[in-house]
Amino acid sequence: MEPKFFNIPVCVGDVTLRVAQGHFATRHSHTNYFIDVTRQQSCFQEADSVAQQLAQRLASYTMVDTILCMDGTRVIGTCLARHLTESGYRTINSGKDIYLLRENVSADGKLIFRENARFMLDGKNVLLLLASITTGSTVEKGMRCVQYYGGNVAGVASIYSHVKEINGVPVVSLFDTEDLPGYASYHQEDCPLCGQGLEVDAIIDKYGYEKL
C-alpha cells in the first residue's frame, strides 16, 4: 500500500515534518510512523532552515571541529557549519573552520575512514548529524567510530529523535515523540503489529521507502 503522507501541525521556525502512519520495517526495528526528510536532505532552502534551528540550539555551548554527516545530511551539515561559525556573542565556534565528513560504510557495515581523512577525527570535537533517530543504534555505531579514530563526541543532532540521550550524550532535535501522537518503535521480534497479522507497508532506511 502506498503510504499516505501529511504534515504534522507543528512547525519549528520554517521547518515542518512530513510523515505517514502504517507498519514500517527498518534494519533495527518496526515502527508505526515513517518520517520523510527527503526535502530537508536535498533542498537547499529547507536544509538551511533545519540548520538554522539546530544552530540556535547548539551554538552557545557545543564546541565543534568536525560534523560527521550521516543519513544523507551533507547539505544540512554544510549549512549548519556556516551558521555555527557566523560571528555572534553566543556562537563559541565563531570564526573557526569546521570540517565536514560523510559516513563511509565498509562491506560489512562498519564505518571506516581513509588515512587522508582521519585528521578530521583525531583529537577533534565531532558532532554527529542525522536525519532521524529511532533506536539510537546508528548513533552508537557513529560514536564508536569517532572514538576509535581518536575523536571526542561533542554532541548528536537530528531533525527528529525518538530518544533524548544516547550513552549519556543529549540528543538535540527539532521534533520528538511528543510531536507524533502514538508514535511507537518495537524490536522486530516483539512487534505487536506483526502479532496482529498486519503486513508491513514498506521497508524504510536513510534513502527513503520501498513499498511492499
Side-chain angles (χ1 to χ4, degrees):
M1 177 183 292
E2 186 73 32
K4 295 181 179 180
F5 291 95
F6 60 94
N7 289 336
I8 67 171
V10 178
C11 294
V12 179
D14 294 329
V15 183
T16 59
L17 198 62
R18 185 171 180 259
V19 303
Q21 289 182 281
H23 184 190
F24 304 102
T26 74
R27 179 182 298 180
H28 305 291
S29 66
H30 284 199
T31 180
N32 59 351
Y33 272 93
F34 169 51
I35 300 165
D36 183 15
V37 292
T38 306
R39 292 187 61 84
Q40 288 97 335
Q41 290 171 316
S42 307
C43 173
F44 177 78
Q45 288 187 342
E46 295 207 20
D48 190 59
S49 295
V50 170
Q52 186 175 24
Q53 294 299 323
L54 287 176
Q56 290 177 9
R57 292 158 173 77
L58 293 165
S60 63
Y61 67 91
T62 307
M63 184 68 73
V64 179
D65 300 306
T66 299
I67 299 175
L68 176 53
C69 302
M70 307 176 74
D71 285 353
T73 57
R74 188 67 179 271
V75 180
I76 298 172
T78 301
C79 297
L80 180 57
R82 178 172 61 83
H83 285 294
L84 287 176
T85 54
E86 288 176 341
S87 60
Y89 76 95
R90 289 178 58 83
T91 305
I92 63 175
N93 297 282
S94 177
K96 289 182 56 180
D97 264 342
I98 291 181
Y99 298 110
L100 293 170
L101 271 178
R102 182 173 54 189
E103 62 183 335
N104 187 14
V105 183
S106 65
D108 59 359
K110 295 180 179 178
L111 289 179
I112 60 171
F113 291 95
R114 306 301 181 193
E115 296 284 349
N116 56 299
R118 294 178 184 178
F119 77 94
M120 291 182 262
L121 294 170
D122 188 16
K124 300 296 191 295
N125 296 306
V126 182
L127 174 70
L128 275 61
L129 177 63
L130 296 93
S132 64
I133 300 170
T134 304
T135 65
S137 58
T138 300
V139 175
E140 290 177 338
K141 182 167 66 173
M143 287 178 164
R144 289 193 296 269
C145 175
V146 168
Q147 292 163 353
Y148 175 81
Y149 288 110
N152 169 58
V153 178
V156 178
S158 66
I159 301 172
Y160 170 84
S161 181
H162 183 55
V163 295
K164 300 290 187 181
E165 61 88 23
I166 299 171
N167 293 343
V169 179
V171 176
V172 174
S173 67
L174 304 187
F175 301 94
D176 57 31
T177 51
E178 294 181 5
D179 301 311
L180 297 180
Y183 180 96
S185 174
Y186 314 100
H187 291 295
Q188 296 177 5
E189 60 272 17
D190 300 323
C191 177
L193 301 176
C194 292
Q196 296 170 25
L198 298 177
E199 295 184 355
V200 172
D201 295 310
I203 305 296
I204 59 178
D205 59 19
K206 63 183 178 181
Y207 301 109
Y209 73 94
E210 185 71 27
K211 63 180 181 180
L212 299 179

